[in-house]
Amino acid sequence: MLDLKLAGNFAAVARGGAENAATMLARWLRQPIAVEAAVVEMIGIDLIPEEVGADDEATIMLAARVKGALPGHTVAHLAHRDAAALVACLGGVLPEEGSLGTLGELERSMLQETANILFSSFMNGMASALGLFAIPYAPAVRVDFGTAAWATILLQAAEAADDALVVTARLTGPAGAGGPRIRLIFLADAEALTLISGKVAP
């Protein structure tokens, strides 16, 4: 387990990963993107859904398995309004909250490609700073209300660790302060936590 002190030492690495993700996202959107904040926390896996949002809130989850020297899961969880703002930057239109089940192929493709960019740049930014490597797999797009979509990922992650390394980053784009808030999460396998602990220890 990565204790609170080591999690604090990892903050600079996480910030670098978030900034790398913002840089690559800016190129993808052809718009300036900035990282307002990148906070590192250790959260019990069973508590992660409570940190995300209300049960009646429409959400979109982008998720991928990560292999390499930092194995685990990486997730981007967006409220409907944030996903809509992101898709709008790419020229698409997200269905209304009550119609997310009709998410079109174009918008789904936009979200998947955005996830590819975010996950690769986020994980590679952190891994490179540690002298390691990470390989995110192709992301899945899951539409849900509240936190039910977490079930499968949490069950898999719980087999390897009791806690998750959580990095929350607010990426501010063309919409200014009201831009999309993208919550990036890395649920590290036990092997990854051991490697991170060794790399960031004083």
Side-chain angles (χ1 to χ4, degrees), residues 164-180:
L165 178 67
V166 177
V167 179
T168 302
R170 182 177 176 86
L171 307 184
T172 303

Side-chain angles (χ1 to χ4, degrees), residues 86-179:
L86 187 63
V87 168
C89 289
L90 296 170
V93 178
L94 204 66
E96 296 295 326
E97 285 195 51
S99 304
L100 277 178
T102 61
L103 182 64
E105 287 302 315
L106 177 61
E107 286 71 27
R108 184 178 294 274
S109 177
M110 289 175 175
L111 290 168
Q112 286 177 320
E113 187 56 33
T114 299
N116 271 325
I117 292 167
L118 284 171
F119 295 163
S120 294
S121 54
F122 178 57
M123 293 305 304
N124 288 336
M126 292 193 294
S128 295
L130 297 172
L132 303 172
F133 68 97
I135 308 171
Y137 283 15
V141 177
R142 306 182 185 190
V143 179
D144 202 359
F145 280 84
T147 60
W150 281 93
T152 301
I153 292 176
L154 294 181
L155 283 173
Q156 294 174 354
E159 295 177 356
D162 295 326
D163 300 276
L165 178 67
V166 177
V167 179
T168 302
R170 182 177 176 86
L171 307 184
T172 303

Side-chain angles (χ1 to χ4, degrees), residues 7-199:
N9 293 344
F10 187 67
V13 174
R15 175 80 189 195
E19 289 178 348
N20 194 45
T23 297
M24 299 308 294
L25 185 61
R27 293 179 184 176
W28 167 237
L29 299 179
R30 297 184 179 180
Q31 296 283 354
I33 300 291
V35 179
E36 284 191 1
V39 180
V40 177
E41 302 172 285
M42 289 298 297
I43 297 178
I45 286 178
D46 59 331
L47 298 178
I48 288 178
E50 297 179 12
E51 300 288 325
V52 175
D55 288 340
D56 60 351
E57 181 180 16
T59 61
I60 289 182
M61 174 189 283
L62 312 173
R65 179 69 177 153
V66 181
K67 294 293 187 178
L70 290 179
H73 295 80
T74 187
V75 175
H77 207 189
L78 297 86
H80 177 272
R81 61 184 177 278
D82 296 314
L86 187 63
V87 168
C89 289
L90 296 170
V93 178
L94 204 66
E96 296 295 326
E97 285 195 51
S99 304
L100 277 178
T102 61
L103 182 64
E105 287 302 315
L106 177 61
E107 286 71 27
R108 184 178 294 274
S109 177
M110 289 175 175
L111 290 168
Q112 286 177 320
E113 187 56 33
T114 299
N116 271 325
I117 292 167
L118 284 171
F119 295 163
S120 294
S121 54
F122 178 57
M123 293 305 304
N124 288 336
M126 292 193 294
S128 295
L130 297 172
L132 303 172
F133 68 97
I135 308 171
Y137 283 15
V141 177
R142 306 182 185 190
V143 179
D144 202 359
F145 280 84
T147 60
W150 281 93
T152 301
I153 292 176
L154 294 181
L155 283 173
Q156 294 174 354
E159 295 177 356
D162 295 326
D163 300 276
L165 178 67
V166 177
V167 179
T168 302
R170 182 177 176 86
L171 307 184
T172 303
R181 182 178 190 272
I182 301 175
R183 187 170 187 256
L184 294 175
I185 301 173
F186 175 45
L187 291 85
D189 285 358
E191 177 187 347
L193 282 174
T194 299
L195 284 171
I196 292 171
S197 297
K199 293 288 185 177

